[in-house]
Amino acid sequence: MHLLWFLLVGLVAGWLAGKLTKGSGFGVVGDILLGVVGAFVGGFLFRLVGFHAGGTISSIVVATVGAVLLVVVARAIKKT
């Protein structure tokens, strides 16, 4: 059940990241992957500054922030 919840949070976070970065999303699998990797990146960065995600909404926010950072970095690398 935890894996399913983790994937659902990843899907929502990936979709939000696609929308926030003026995209149209990356498909279901792409959104899940982006959100899951974003969750790790966001979790790492938030822990560095002393924040800890404790609930569903905060987990989605942390994962979305990480996913947005991944999209921005990927687009910056792609431009060069």
Side-chain angles (χ1 to χ4, degrees):
M1 186 65 175
H2 292 289
L3 178 62
L4 180 62
W5 195 249
F6 188 70
L7 293 176
L8 183 63
V9 168
L11 175 63
V12 171
W15 178 80
L16 281 172
K19 295 297 181 185
L20 291 172
T21 57
K22 297 187 182 9
S24 60
F26 302 97
V28 174
V29 174
D31 285 346
I32 290 173
L33 290 174
L34 180 63
V36 168
V37 174
F40 285 111
V41 171
F44 175 75
L45 293 174
F46 273 66
R47 270 183 257 125
L48 280 178
V49 295
F51 293 114
H52 178 68
T56 303
I57 300 298
S58 60
S59 295
I60 290 172
V61 169
V62 168
T64 301
V65 169
V68 167
L69 287 172
L70 286 174
V71 170
V72 169
V73 168
R75 286 184 182 169
I77 291 171
K78 188 176 178 181
K79 284 186 180 182
T80 60

